[in-house]
Amino acid sequence: NGSSSVNWPPEFRPGEPWKGYPNIDP
Amino acid sequence: QEPLTASMLAAAPPQEQKQMLGERLYPLIHSLHPSMAGKITGMLLEIDNSELLLMLESPESLHSKIEEAVAVLQVHQISEASHKSN
């Protein structure tokens, strides 16, 4: 669906927790 | 700054591992693509940690991964734009 791709890729900002983590299956 | 090692990563929880790798990758990527550094780093962090460590040790493989990510991002942005214009 379109909404998820708008936020892809989860942007990394130094000093801020990266938001992409939960999407990755361990 | 001492190089990031597998044992340093292994000592950290998974979320922290991605953060540590991101903090190392971001400045290297920012020096090549300042405007897209956040998105490129976010894309590369989805790669397996062991491969990310290898990339941190080998600038050539890091550069080729970065260029791949830039190409994917540009295609993604074009398809986003075409979705919006439809």
Side-chain angles (χ1 to χ4, degrees), chain B residues 1-80:
Chain B
Q1 189 177 24
E2 83 284 0
L4 192 57
T5 61
S7 47
M8 286 162 74
L9 279 184
Q15 166 69 33
E16 189 57 34
Q17 292 174 9
K18 288 297 183 189
Q19 200 65 32
M20 290 158 76
L21 286 161
E23 299 291 349
R24 295 299 176 99
L25 285 168
Y26 184 87
L28 303 174
I29 295 170
H30 189 270
S31 64
L32 295 170
H33 297 281
S35 61
M36 300 168 79
K39 286 201 175 289
I40 295 170
T41 310
M43 275 180 70
L44 295 188
L45 283 177
E46 293 180 339
I47 297 173
D48 188 70
N49 289 357
S50 52
E51 190 168 343
L52 290 172
L53 272 180
L54 288 176
M55 284 159 51
L56 281 171
E57 287 158 11
S58 136
E60 307 80 51
S61 64
L62 178 60
H63 285 185
S64 64
K65 276 291 181 199
I66 290 171
E67 296 318 313
E68 267 178 53
V70 169
V72 169
L73 269 177
Q74 285 166 348
V75 168
H76 179 72
Q77 282 162 356
I78 292 167
S79 67
E80 280 298 298

